[in-house]
Amino acid sequence: MSAADQAHSIVAPTSLMRRVAGALVIVYAIVTMIPLVWIIATSFKTPPDSIAYPPKIVFTPSLEGYVNLFTTRTRQSPEMLAQLPPPTTWYDALVRSRNMVIAGPSNVVPRFVNSIIIAFGSTFLAVFLGTLAAYGFSRFRVPFKDDLLFFILSTRMMPPIAVAIPIYLMYRQLGLNDTKLGMILLYTAVNVSLAVWLLKGFIDEIPREYEEAAMIDGYTRLQAFRLAVLPQAATGIAATAIFCLIFAWNEYAFAVLLTSGSAQTMPPFIPFIIGEGGQDWPAVAAATTLFVVPIFVFTLLLRKHLLRGITFGAVRK
């Protein structure tokens, strides 16, 4: 075998190596899934079971945590409860069993809707602007391109707390405090740097010949970009969208500082779910469980694009 063949040869893993690698993956998956499984299990416990010591592994499932999450309740005396008409729904009966009545809905639904609007809105804008900027950096001779790319990346190096107070003061002057538009613009500005760097790498791997052939056929540069580049970059765009959405969905520091009412998202809302006598842990776990669902579904729908996007350009001829 020549030196070149030896340099490019690939050693096939032995059966022992495959078994060890498989075992490590299984152990890692179990360890990472334990907190999520525990949160889901806690959401189906009653408040006494959720704080029992030692912790209860076997328990009678209850939807009390979800009922407490979506409602506000007031405690009533047994005499007052006896004067009320019989409960008409299962959740009303569940609340009555705790000597309480439902006073109205909680704020979880508006907060959940805020998270969806802000996270998906900022992700769309970040990916849209990042795709255009990445295409420009990849295909054109931009003056001071390396300096500009480094400057864009440097915005991710600064911790949020370092710019939190200036952003708060600026937003207060502009009237963007506690607004969905303000949070969308802020998360877009934070995510666009990640989008530019990720998408530039994907677009660099797409041969220029596709666009040149399209323009020879009479298409404009914009049409060639839309018809030739975007379909090839779809995997990279999907992977970038997932990373941007995860950041915007989970962001806590700016959400605590800049929102308090109409634009508050789920991350600052969940820790302050208080029940009678303290933290309502089943309701907190229920909110956390529901909070994970949109990201899980979005990632599941784009899982094929995510895998291809992460490995895009890793194998060369």
Coordinates of all heavy atoms in Angstrom, one line a residue, residues 110-116 118-119 178 183 187 248-252 254-256 259-271 291:
P110 N -51.4 32.9 28.3 CA -50.8 34.1 27.7 C -49.2 34.1 27.7 O -48.6 34.5 26.7 CB -51.3 35.3 28.5 CG -52.5 34.8 29.1 CD -52.3 33.3 29.3
R111 N -48.6 33.6 28.7 CA -47.2 33.5 28.8 C -46.6 32.5 27.8 O -45.6 32.7 27.1 CB -46.7 33.1 30.2 CG -47.1 34.0 31.3 CD -46.7 35.5 31.0 NE -47.0 36.3 32.2 CZ -48.0 37.2 32.2 NH1 -48.9 37.2 31.2 NH2 -48.2 37.9 33.2
F112 N -47.4 31.4 27.6 CA -47.0 30.4 26.6 C -47.1 30.9 25.2 O -46.2 30.7 24.3 CB -47.8 29.1 26.8 CG -47.3 27.9 26.1 CD1 -46.3 27.1 26.7 CD2 -47.8 27.6 24.8 CE1 -45.9 26.0 26.0 CE2 -47.3 26.4 24.2 CZ -46.3 25.7 24.8
V113 N -48.1 31.7 24.9 CA -48.3 32.3 23.6 C -47.2 33.3 23.4 O -46.7 33.4 22.2 CB -49.7 32.9 23.5 CG1 -49.8 33.8 22.2 CG2 -50.8 31.9 23.5
N114 N -46.8 34.1 24.4 CA -45.7 35.1 24.2 C -44.5 34.4 23.8 O -43.7 34.8 23.0 CB -45.5 35.8 25.5 CG -46.7 36.8 25.8 OD1 -47.4 37.2 24.9 ND2 -46.7 37.3 27.1
S115 N -44.2 33.2 24.5 CA -43.0 32.5 24.2 C -43.0 32.0 22.7 O -41.9 32.1 22.0 CB -42.8 31.3 25.1 OG -42.5 31.7 26.4
I116 N -44.1 31.5 22.2 CA -44.2 31.1 20.9 C -44.0 32.2 19.9 O -43.2 32.1 18.9 CB -45.5 30.4 20.6 CG1 -45.6 29.1 21.4 CG2 -45.8 30.1 19.1 CD1 -47.0 28.4 21.3
I118 N -42.5 35.2 20.4 CA -41.2 35.8 20.4 C -40.1 34.9 19.9 O -39.3 35.3 19.1 CB -40.9 36.3 21.9 CG1 -41.8 37.4 22.3 CG2 -39.4 36.7 22.1 CD1 -41.8 37.8 23.8
A119 N -40.2 33.6 20.3 CA -39.1 32.7 19.9 C -39.2 32.4 18.4 O -38.2 32.5 17.7 CB -39.3 31.4 20.7
D178 N -41.1 45.6 28.0 CA -42.3 44.7 28.2 C -43.2 44.7 26.9 O -44.4 44.8 27.0 CB -43.1 45.1 29.4 CG -44.1 44.0 29.9 OD1 -43.8 42.8 29.6 OD2 -45.1 44.3 30.5
M183 N -38.6 42.3 22.4 CA -37.9 41.0 22.7 C -37.6 40.3 21.4 O -36.5 39.7 21.3 CB -38.9 40.1 23.5 CG -39.2 40.6 24.9 SD -37.7 41.1 25.9 CE -37.0 39.4 26.1
Y187 N -33.7 39.3 20.6 CA -33.3 38.0 20.3 C -32.8 37.8 18.9 O -31.9 37.0 18.6 CB -34.4 37.0 20.6 CG -34.8 36.9 22.0 CD1 -36.0 36.2 22.4 CD2 -34.0 37.3 23.0 CE1 -36.3 36.1 23.7 CE2 -34.3 37.2 24.4 CZ -35.5 36.6 24.7 OH -35.8 36.4 26.0
A248 N -33.7 31.3 21.9 CA -34.8 32.3 22.1 C -35.8 31.6 23.0 O -36.4 32.3 23.9 CB -35.4 32.7 20.8
W249 N -36.0 30.3 23.0 CA -37.1 29.7 23.8 C -36.7 29.6 25.2 O -37.5 29.7 26.1 CB -37.3 28.3 23.2 CG -38.5 27.6 23.8 CD1 -38.5 26.6 24.7 CD2 -39.9 27.8 23.5 NE1 -39.8 26.1 25.0 CE2 -40.6 26.9 24.2 CE3 -40.5 28.7 22.6 CZ2 -42.0 26.8 24.2 CZ3 -41.9 28.6 22.6 CH2 -42.7 27.7 23.3
N250 N -35.4 29.4 25.5 CA -34.9 29.2 26.8 C -34.3 30.4 27.5 O -34.0 30.3 28.7 CB -33.8 28.1 26.9 CG -34.4 26.7 26.5 OD1 -35.5 26.4 26.7 ND2 -33.6 25.9 25.7
E251 N -34.2 31.5 26.8 CA -33.5 32.7 27.3 C -34.2 33.2 28.6 O -35.4 33.3 28.6 CB -33.4 33.8 26.3 CG -32.3 34.8 26.5 CD -32.6 35.8 27.6 OE1 -33.8 36.2 27.7 OE2 -31.7 36.1 28.3
Y252 N -33.4 33.5 29.6 CA -34.0 33.9 30.9 C -33.6 35.3 31.4 O -34.4 36.0 31.9 CB -33.5 32.8 32.0 CG -34.1 33.1 33.3 CD1 -35.4 32.8 33.7 CD2 -33.3 33.7 34.3 CE1 -35.9 33.0 35.0 CE2 -33.7 34.0 35.6 CZ -35.0 33.6 35.9 OH -35.5 33.8 37.2
F254 N -32.5 38.2 29.9 CA -33.2 39.4 29.3 C -34.7 39.4 29.6 O -35.3 40.4 29.8 CB -32.9 39.5 27.8 CG -31.5 39.9 27.5 CD1 -30.7 39.1 26.6 CD2 -30.9 41.0 28.0 CE1 -29.4 39.4 26.3 CE2 -29.6 41.4 27.7 CZ -28.9 40.6 26.8
A255 N -35.3 38.2 29.6 CA -36.7 38.1 29.8 C -37.1 38.5 31.2 O -38.1 39.2 31.4 CB -37.2 36.6 29.6
V256 N -36.3 38.2 32.2 CA -36.5 38.7 33.5 C -36.4 40.2 33.7 O -37.3 40.9 34.3 CB -35.6 38.0 34.5 CG1 -35.6 38.7 35.9 CG2 -35.9 36.5 34.7
T259 N -39.2 42.1 30.8 CA -40.6 41.8 30.7 C -41.1 41.6 32.1 O -40.4 41.1 33.0 CB -40.9 40.6 29.9 OG1 -40.3 39.4 30.5 CG2 -40.3 40.7 28.4
S260 N -42.4 41.9 32.3 CA -43.0 41.7 33.6 C -44.5 41.4 33.5 O -45.1 40.9 34.5 CB -42.8 42.9 34.5 OG -43.3 44.1 34.0
G261 N -45.1 41.7 32.4 CA -46.5 41.6 32.3 C -46.9 41.1 30.9 O -46.9 39.9 30.6
S262 N -47.3 42.0 30.0 CA -47.9 41.6 28.7 C -47.0 40.8 27.8 O -47.5 40.1 27.0 CB -48.4 42.9 28.0 OG -47.3 43.7 27.7
A263 N -45.7 41.0 27.9 CA -44.7 40.3 27.1 C -43.9 39.2 27.8 O -43.0 38.7 27.2 CB -43.8 41.3 26.4
Q264 N -44.3 38.9 29.0 CA -43.5 38.0 29.8 C -43.6 36.6 29.2 O -44.6 36.2 28.7 CB -44.0 37.9 31.2 CG -43.1 37.1 32.1 CD -43.6 37.0 33.6 OE1 -44.8 36.8 33.8 NE2 -42.7 37.2 34.5
T265 N -42.4 35.9 29.1 CA -42.4 34.6 28.5 C -42.4 33.5 29.6 O -42.4 33.8 30.8 CB -41.1 34.4 27.7 OG1 -40.0 34.7 28.4 CG2 -41.2 35.3 26.4
M266 N -42.3 32.3 29.2 CA -42.4 31.2 30.2 C -41.2 31.0 31.2 O -41.4 30.8 32.3 CB -42.7 29.9 29.5 CG -44.1 29.7 28.9 SD -45.3 29.5 30.2 CE -45.0 27.8 30.7
P267 N -40.0 31.2 30.7 CA -38.8 31.0 31.6 C -38.9 31.9 32.9 O -38.7 31.3 34.0 CB -37.6 31.3 30.8 CG -38.1 31.0 29.4 CD -39.5 31.3 29.3
P268 N -39.2 33.2 32.8 CA -39.3 33.9 34.1 C -40.7 33.6 34.8 O -40.8 34.0 36.0 CB -39.2 35.4 33.7 CG -39.7 35.4 32.3 CD -39.3 34.1 31.7
F269 N -41.6 33.1 34.1 CA -42.9 32.8 34.8 C -43.0 31.6 35.6 O -43.5 31.5 36.7 CB -44.0 32.8 33.7 CG -45.4 32.4 34.2 CD1 -46.2 33.2 34.9 CD2 -45.9 31.1 34.0 CE1 -47.4 32.9 35.4 CE2 -47.1 30.7 34.4 CZ -47.9 31.6 35.1
I270 N -42.3 30.5 35.1 CA -42.3 29.2 35.8 C -41.8 29.2 37.2 O -42.5 28.6 38.1 CB -41.6 28.1 34.9 CG1 -42.3 27.9 33.6 CG2 -41.4 26.9 35.7 CD1 -41.6 26.9 32.6
P271 N -40.7 29.9 37.5 CA -40.2 29.8 38.9 C -41.1 30.5 39.9 O -41.0 30.2 41.1 CB -38.9 30.5 38.8 CG -38.5 30.5 37.4 CD -39.7 30.5 36.6
F291 N -43.6 23.1 28.5 CA -42.7 24.1 27.9 C -41.7 23.3 27.0 O -41.2 23.9 26.0 CB -41.9 24.8 29.0 CG -41.0 25.9 28.5 CD1 -41.5 27.0 27.8 CD2 -39.6 25.8 28.7 CE1 -40.7 28.0 27.4 CE2 -38.8 26.8 28.2 CZ -39.3 27.9 27.6

